[in-house]
Amino acid sequence: MIDIHLLERRWIKYKIKRLIPYVVAILGIGAGLITLLYSVNQNDVTPPPPIKQEIPLVKITPKPDIAEEVIAIVPPPTLQQPRAVAAPIAVARPTPAETSVAWKPKALPSPKENIPVPLSIPKNTPLVAVSATFSTPVVVPPNSQNKPISIKQNSTTFDIHEIEDRFKNNSNPHLGLYIARYHYDNGNYSEAYNYALKTNAINNTLEESWLIFAKSLVKLGRTEQAKKTLQLYISQSNSEGAKSLLNNLTKEDEK
Amino acid sequence: MDHSLFSKPRDLFLDIVNPRDYVQIDSVSHMYQNLKASVQKPLKMILLYGKPGTGKSMLLHKLHHDLSKHQKVFMIDIPIIDEGDFLRVLAQKIYGYVNREAITLTDFLELSTAVNYPQSPIVLLDEAQLYSALLMEKIRLISDARALKFVITLHKTEDEDIIAKEHFQTRIWESIELQNASCEELKIYIQKKLLKANCFDVANMFNEKNIKLISKLTKGNYRETNKLLFSLFSLYTWYEKNTPSKIKYNALKPKYIEMAGIQTGLLRD
Ligand SMILES: Nc1ncnc2c1ncn2[C@@H]1O[C@H](COP(=O)(O)OP(=O)(O)OP(=O)(O)O)[C@@H](O)[C@H]1O
Ligand SMILES: [Mg+2]
């Protein structure tokens, strides 16, 4: 079981540590400014040969250095903390399993030593014995059988069409809502409208789908229809979200 | 059995290698195509290398899964370190030659000429850094004799560059390096994994900032990402059960991501 409270405390500690360098830097900059003002003031009092006096000024001004210099001045205990924070990831990364020296034959390698939780052995992972025989019937899900890998498929730009196809096949309203949301977020309001409509037809209790439907209508310039839709939905569901959206639309009309 | 919204996505990120969970990511698919093409070329041995958790085993399992529909393929995912045993197991699995004792290389090569396959059988060796130099040399001889075609995977560790080792410098090797995912690729990895399992609501909670933070913590490593997300969804499952009012469903809380980072050791508290 995870000890959430302990973890929360550790997180707070982590946050505080992360703040220290900033606090030190701000204090440092503050101190720097004060010294600067102070020295400028002094300069005003005793009229000096101008060139000589400018040199110390230049030394202090470069911003990135200020923090560092100041940190170096601060007494050691505060100095060490920011350092420790600076390199946590690098320290934490290589686990013993991963750094095992190559070519040293181990009796039984356990490459998955660093799994966070005890696992039941995966049902489908091919074991040596099973995958060995040619005749072993492999149950392949239809998906991967019909579509072996195609590089042409554009997967870096997120492939909404794939999901749309799946929605066509399985009519899962959550999938429909996902697509509607996606189109709405991408400014594609007529598509958002279409998918929200389809989704409502499959399941007419999904508030968010109704809201996207109405908001899309507004974006498409059909505010009146949006209001009617919302009223209809409110009469069935008493939805707070729908009420507030309708309220906003009415207010905007009055302006 | 708990019916939390987050228990299913949590279990998706168990560190398990199953070719059916393979997710298409452009750069990886591209490598996979190269790999499939290389497999059909004679003589070359193929080396898949990369840091731990970059998906070598996954690619090897995927290759096994796809090739075994058309061709004789045999995978050794847990290395057989004893030489005699190694050849004995290969002889049995590929040529159907059952023998209790270890067999020699000469015996093995003789066997291979006696059995005719239309295409040379393919042997996939995972975790090849565990094989001895001597056994690797024998493997190379078998490949030279065109008896078998080998695809092997190797850990590349930070301090020791195995690729520099002489075995892999000969021209017979065709090597493919796998790398950590970029931020964009990591996003696709996470989204596709969740969507494949119909976890739409949870997929929708990931915004650009969340992905950036995850990518920063895991450096785009697939295994570290699995660990982090497993821990993250475990936290969410707990909060959903104990203090549901704390959960916001429109985005992931950076705090929880950082807590998961602390729990998995990716972040030092
Ligand atoms: N393309 C992918 N699709 C789905 N999951 C992947 C993909 N690539 C990697 N993974 C996941 O990332 C995890 C780590 O990958 P894998 O075990 O293949 O790494 P590896 O390179 O073999 O590491 P090691 O060197 O430690 O053996 C696996 O649990 C796997 O499920
Ligand atoms: Mg591996």
Side-chain angles (χ1 to χ4, degrees):
Chain A
M1 219 14 253
I2 344 165
D3 186 346
I4 296 275
H5 303 295
L6 176 71
L7 198 58
E8 280 183 335
R9 279 198 298 276
R10 287 175 67 187
W11 178 79
I12 290 169
K13 215 169 112 193
Y14 158 79
K15 275 300 192 202
I16 291 172
K17 271 195 187 173
R18 278 202 39 174
L19 278 178
I20 289 173
Y22 295 104
V23 173
V24 171
I26 289 170
L27 287 180
I29 291 170
L33 281 179
I34 290 166
T35 10
L36 198 79
L37 281 177
Y38 185 70
S39 61
V40 168
N41 274 350
Q42 271 199 335
N43 292 348
D44 288 346
V45 182
T46 47
I51 303 164
K52 255 190 181 174
Q53 289 294 341
E54 255 164 31
I55 296 162
L57 276 184
V58 177
K59 250 193 173 172
I60 302 165
T61 16
K63 266 188 211 148
D65 291 342
I66 281 191
E68 269 186 30
E69 275 178 23
V70 175
I71 289 171
I73 298 162
V74 179
T78 17
L79 164 72
Q80 271 176 355
Q81 274 167 326
R83 285 269 167 85
V85 173
I89 296 173
V91 181
R93 230 176 9 129
T95 63
E98 285 161 353
T99 32
S100 67
V101 182
W103 294 109
K104 233 183 240 169
K106 269 199 262 170
L108 237 198
S110 46
K112 277 107 203 167
E113 269 167 8
N114 41 4
I115 303 170
V117 266
L119 301 182
S120 52
I121 291 181
K123 272 174 269 157
N124 300 324
T125 311
L127 296 170
V128 179
V130 179
S131 53
T133 36
F134 200 36
S135 52
T136 316
V138 185
V139 191
V140 184
N143 253 356
S144 56
Q145 205 163 33
N146 301 339
K147 292 193 251 166
I149 311 280
S150 80
I151 349 178
K152 267 168 219 115
Q153 193 179 24
N154 188 0
S155 46
T156 337
T157 54
F158 185 67
D159 200 347
I160 192 74
H161 301 299
E162 205 181 296
I163 303 174
E164 287 176 352
D165 281 346
R166 284 179 51 209
F167 178 58
K168 237 182 251 161
N169 291 331
N170 71 8
S171 300
N172 178 336
H174 295 286
L175 203 50
L177 174 57
Y178 183 89
I179 300 167
R181 210 188 261 152
Y182 175 91
H183 285 305
Y184 187 83
D185 289 344
N186 281 287
N188 207 342
Y189 302 119
S190 59
E191 284 293 277
Y193 166 90
N194 278 333
Y195 276 97
L197 183 66
K198 284 182 202 167
T199 305
N200 292 344
I202 297 164
N203 178 346
N204 65 359
T205 62
L206 296 175
E207 171 181 271
E208 192 183 352
S209 180
W210 284 98
L211 295 183
I212 291 179
F213 182 76
K215 286 193 289 185
S216 302
L217 277 173
V218 176
K219 293 283 186 186
L220 294 168
R222 286 150 65 185
T223 315
E224 279 316 305
Q225 199 184 338
K227 282 197 224 157
K228 273 187 201 141
T229 308
L230 286 171
Q231 276 155 357
L232 185 71
Y233 178 58
I234 291 165
S235 72
Q236 294 170 3
S237 69
N238 220 1
S239 145
E240 288 303 320
K243 278 183 199 162
S244 92
L245 181 60
L246 181 62
N247 240 339
N248 285 346
L249 291 179
T250 333
K251 262 189 220 151
E252 257 177 45
D253 265 9
E254 286 162 7
K255 271 181 202 165
Chain B
M1 205 32 234
D2 48 348
H3 292 278
S4 151
L5 177 64
F6 299 101
S7 56
K8 191 172 167 196
R10 177 194 64 202
D11 296 340
L12 277 182
F13 289 97
L14 283 170
D15 198 20
I16 291 172
V17 178
N18 180 338
R20 272 162 232 165
D21 301 336
Y22 177 81
V23 168
Q24 275 195 43
I25 300 154
D26 270 0
S27 64
V28 180
S29 305
H30 186 72
M31 270 177 211
Y32 185 69
Q33 292 303 320
N34 286 345
L35 183 61
K36 268 182 38 179
S38 303
V39 167
Q40 306 306 339
K41 289 185 211 156
L43 279 177
K44 289 256 181 190
M45 305 232 285
I46 301 160
L47 173 65
L48 274 179
Y49 70 102
K51 290 186 192 140
T54 45
K56 301 179 291 293
S57 299
M58 184 49 133
L59 217 56
L60 205 67
H61 279 75
K62 171 82 180 146
L63 191 68
H64 180 263
H65 178 267
D66 291 354
L67 290 180
S68 56
K69 290 172 204 152
H70 317 286
Q71 203 167 349
K72 185 87 182 162
V73 195
F74 176 53
M75 170 145 69
I76 303 183
D77 52 2
I78 298 174
I80 304 173
I81 293 164
D82 181 79
E83 286 174 40
D85 254 0
F86 180 82
L87 294 179
R88 187 178 57 80
V89 171
L90 279 190
Q92 182 183 342
K93 297 299 181 188
I94 293 173
Y95 306 118
Y97 175 79
V98 183
N99 192 349
R100 282 169 172 232
E101 275 133 59
I103 60 172
T104 64
L105 183 62
T106 331
D107 292 343
F108 186 85
L109 291 176
E110 240 166 54
L111 251 178
S112 73
T113 47
V115 186
N116 242 330
Y117 279 109
Q119 278 167 302
S120 57
I122 297 174
V123 176
L124 310 173
L125 307 179
D126 202 2
E127 306 278 350
Q129 73 277 0
L130 296 169
Y131 290 94
S132 69
L134 205 66
L135 184 50
M136 276 316 295
E137 186 55 23
K138 294 203 168 149
I139 289 170
R140 197 179 65 79
L141 290 173
I142 298 171
S143 168
D144 270 358
R146 298 186 184 228
L148 299 174
K149 173 111 203 155
F150 288 93
V151 180
I152 75 167
T153 74
L154 269 191
H155 253 341
K156 183 181 153 197
T157 47
E158 298 280 354
D159 40 22
E160 189 178 10
D161 200 351
I162 301 158
I163 310 307
K165 291 224 169 188
E166 49 187 297
H167 301 280
F168 303 109
Q169 281 189 338
T170 53
R171 266 194 250 137
I172 56 158
W173 287 101
E174 181 148 328
S175 48
I176 299 175
E177 179 171 9
L178 292 185
Q179 276 165 347
N180 285 344
S182 67
C183 193
E184 190 58 29
E185 286 169 339
L186 203 65
K187 174 173 157 194
I188 289 160
Y189 171 71
I190 295 170
Q191 291 279 316
K192 283 201 168 182
K193 241 177 124 92
L194 289 168
L195 293 180
K196 229 173 154 176
N198 292 337
C199 301
F200 310 111
D201 295 322
V202 174
N204 224 36
M205 289 170 72
F206 284 77
N207 62 28
E208 293 293 328
K209 262 192 172 166
N210 295 148
I211 297 275
K212 270 198 189 134
L213 179 56
I214 293 168
S215 172
K216 196 176 117 198
L217 293 179
T218 65
K219 302 221 161 83
N221 187 280
Y222 294 106
R223 180 169 299 131
E224 303 295 358
T225 304
N226 286 355
K227 279 204 242 173
L228 184 75
L229 293 184
F230 183 91
S231 163
L232 177 70
F233 290 132
S234 303
L235 294 180
Y236 266 103
T237 314
W238 189 93
Y239 282 116
E240 195 185 36
K241 201 168 152 208
N242 297 285
T243 50
S245 57
K246 277 194 181 175
I247 298 185
K248 298 235 159 48
Y249 292 91
N250 55 353
L252 293 173
K253 243 192 194 174
K255 173 182 169 184
Y256 295 167
I257 299 178
E258 284 166 351
M259 279 168 64
I262 291 170
Q263 208 205 3
T264 50
L266 292 167
L267 267 184
R268 274 285 186 83
D269 57 335

